[in-house]
Amino acid sequence: MAEMEDSKAKSSSGSLFFNRSFTMNSTAVAESNSPKFHLLFNSPSSLNRAASISRFYNSFDSVKGKVKKLCNLFESAKSSSSPSNLASPKETSPKVVLRPSKSIAYSSSFSLSFNNSSIRLPGTEDRIVVYLTSLRGIRRTYEDCYAVKMIFRGFRVWVDERDISMDAAYKKELQSVLKEKTVSLPQVFIKGKYVGGADVIKSMFEVGELAKILDGFPRRQPGFVCQACGDVRFVPCWNCSGSRKVFDEDEELPKRCLECNENGLIRCPDCCS
């Protein structure tokens, strides 16, 4: 009796296990057939994913097509440049005309203009004369004057700098030589011949023509500075001490000093003699 009861209990527990598994499977099938499951797979997000995947494959196909077109273009270019497709030796190639470079053309034009200059500054055949200003009233003019002065200083040649702001007589002298009332600064004369302004000097320096023209001039020591004037080219008048007036003992009246300019200055006797 006890064995029969145990067998009945086991069979009942086994039937319960099978019933549970059946109910679980049936519920899963029911859930899969439910409208929620259909909504999950038919939602807009799943449709967008499918559309994006199709677009990716379409773009990939278009890229492949472009690559094929490029390959065909290169293959056609190679075939056209092959020896069989080259022009026959009877066909003459166009003649190539060699022109001088810009620097060579500039240097030749500068040398011609320098040698054929009709404007001369008498008494300066052995020196370099630069008319400039040390005032900074007009910034562009001052920068041009300073640039030209530094170019010549780099060659270590002595330059007769004639500052019109220190002596108005230099301005009148330049106007009479150039025969113009309004003159721009700086203006350069080399060996008594008129060269030009800042643009001309800069261009000659860049192409190397200025170094050829200055080849015969004596060189100063590096860092040389006049001890009397400090390379200003002017010193106070020794006769009137820069006051521009001297006392006449005969007439017992002050008179205008005749040895200095309107600023009471004279040319430096050490570096400008």
Side-chain angles (χ1 to χ4, degrees):
M1 289 293 291
E3 290 178 359
M4 291 180 66
E5 287 178 358
D6 291 336
S7 63
K8 285 181 182 181
K10 288 179 181 179
S11 63
S12 62
S13 63
S15 62
L16 285 171
F17 173 77
F18 284 113
N19 289 332
R20 286 178 183 174
S21 63
F22 181 74
T23 54
M24 288 174 66
N25 291 329
S26 62
T27 52
V29 171
E31 285 178 357
S32 64
N33 293 327
S34 64
K36 289 183 180 179
F37 186 79
H38 289 291
L39 286 173
L40 179 64
F41 284 95
N42 294 327
S43 62
S45 61
S46 61
L47 294 175
N48 291 334
R49 288 179 184 174
S52 63
I53 292 169
S54 63
R55 286 176 188 172
F56 171 75
Y57 282 110
N58 291 333
S59 63
F60 183 72
D61 293 336
S62 64
V63 170
K64 285 175 67 178
K66 289 179 181 179
V67 171
K68 286 182 180 179
K69 287 181 181 179
L70 289 173
C71 292
N72 294 329
L73 286 173
F74 281 110
E75 288 176 359
S76 62
K78 286 181 181 179
S79 63
S80 63
S81 62
S82 62
S84 61
N85 294 329
L86 292 175
S88 61
K90 293 182 180 180
E91 295 180 0
T92 58
S93 59
K95 294 181 179 180
V96 179
V97 180
L98 296 176
R99 295 181 180 179
S101 63
K102 190 175 181 182
S103 61
I104 296 173
Y106 275 8
S107 61
S108 60
S109 65
F110 288 143
S111 60
L112 287 173
S113 63
F114 176 72
N115 293 325
N116 299 326
S117 177
S118 59
I119 302 174
R120 301 296 178 96
L121 186 64
T124 59
E125 288 78 11
D126 60 341
R127 65 185 67 185
I128 305 164
V129 180
V130 179
Y131 289 90
L132 49 83
T133 179
S134 58
L135 295 180
R136 305 192 183 195
I138 301 174
R139 182 177 179 180
R140 176 65 184 274
T141 302
Y142 172 77
E143 289 177 352
D144 289 342
C145 294
Y146 183 79
V148 170
K149 188 164 65 172
M150 288 299 105
I151 287 173
F152 284 112
R153 191 169 291 182
F155 287 102
R156 293 189 290 111
V157 293
W158 180 79
V159 179
D160 186 1
E161 298 175 2
R162 301 188 176 184
D163 194 343
I164 66 170
S165 63
M166 305 286 271
D167 195 344
Y170 289 144
K171 183 178 180 181
K172 295 178 182 178
E173 183 181 68
L174 182 61
Q175 288 173 343
S176 64
V177 171
L178 297 180
K179 297 178 181 179
E180 293 179 1
K181 268 194 171 183
T182 58
V183 291
S184 60
L185 296 176
Q187 297 295 335
V188 181
F189 293 82
I190 300 177
K191 296 180 181 179
K193 299 176 183 178
Y194 175 66
V195 179
D199 294 336
V200 177
I201 296 299
K202 289 177 183 177
S203 301
M204 291 176 69
F205 173 68
E206 288 174 358
V207 300
E209 188 67 21
L210 187 61
K212 296 178 183 178
I213 296 173
L214 302 179
D215 195 15
F217 287 93
R219 310 288 171 166
R220 299 194 300 177
Q221 292 295 327
F224 174 80
V225 178
C226 178
Q227 298 297 323
C229 67
D231 280 349
V232 180
R233 307 290 187 261
F234 287 94
V235 292
C237 179
W238 294 343
N239 188 29
C240 65
S241 300
S243 64
R244 297 185 301 159
K245 292 180 181 180
V246 292
F247 186 77
D248 190 353
E249 294 180 355
D250 296 335
E251 297 182 4
E252 296 183 355
L253 292 172
K255 287 187 177 181
R256 172 73 168 85
C257 181
L258 301 177
E259 295 184 9
C260 59
N261 59 15
E262 72 277 5
N263 295 317
L265 302 173
I266 60 172
R267 293 284 282 176
C268 178
D270 291 350
C271 63
C272 296
S273 56

